Amino acid sequence: SCRLPPCRPLSMTSASPPHPFSLPPRLTPSNTVLLVCDLQKRLAPVIPEFPAVVHAAKTLLAAAEALGIPVVATEQYPKALGETVEDVKLPGMAFEKTQFSMLVEGVVGELEMAMAEGRG
């Protein structure tokens, strides 16, 4: 199973109200993986603001490439729903899945490898 690192406590000053949670560690290229989930044309009608989602994904993918952040992508049953939209250029293959979760075997394996490399 994939385990994420524990959150560090939130530093507080006397002027700060108490918080019932802690903040996660700061994101850096060495502890980050970009997840891209099911950006397929046949799903576009049920994804609100799909063009904006695609634009954001393209921006994040460009940033990931520039910063050397690995990308893990999925496609929901591509035999029926098609592949990732052409506008989104994935740096590698997408993991096929038939469940409504990104945590399928291949993705979990990629995340475990990333954690072993110090990304998380």
Side-chain angles (χ1 to χ4, degrees):
S1 72
C2 182
R3 293 183 160 253
L4 298 177
C7 294
R8 64 183 169 172
L10 176 66
S11 62
M12 297 176 27
T13 65
S14 59
S16 300
H19 293 281
F21 61 89
S22 61
L23 294 176
R26 184 179 185 146
L27 295 178
T28 65
S30 65
N31 72 1
T32 304
V33 175
L34 176 62
L35 302 175
V36 179
C37 183
D38 308 347
L39 294 180
Q40 296 156 263
K41 188 174 184 176
R42 301 264 324 256
L43 291 176
V46 296
I47 298 175
E49 305 292 331
F50 188 74
V53 171
V54 167
H55 178 76
K58 289 168 57 176
T59 301
L60 289 168
L61 284 162
E65 181 180 8
L67 296 170
I69 295 171
V71 176
V72 177
T74 59
E75 292 175 340
Q76 180 69 27
Y77 195 55
K79 290 176 185 163
L81 299 174
E83 296 179 352
T84 300
V85 293
E86 292 179 11
D87 286 352
V88 176
K89 305 294 183 214
L90 298 174
M93 65 169 233
F95 290 94
E96 293 184 21
K97 63 188 189 67
T98 56
Q99 61 191 46
F100 289 103
S101 170
M102 279 195 79
L103 291 179
V104 295
E105 185 176 328
V107 171
V108 170
E110 289 290 319
L111 294 176
E112 287 173 342
M113 283 187 347
M115 288 178 66
E117 294 171 1
R119 293 187 176 273

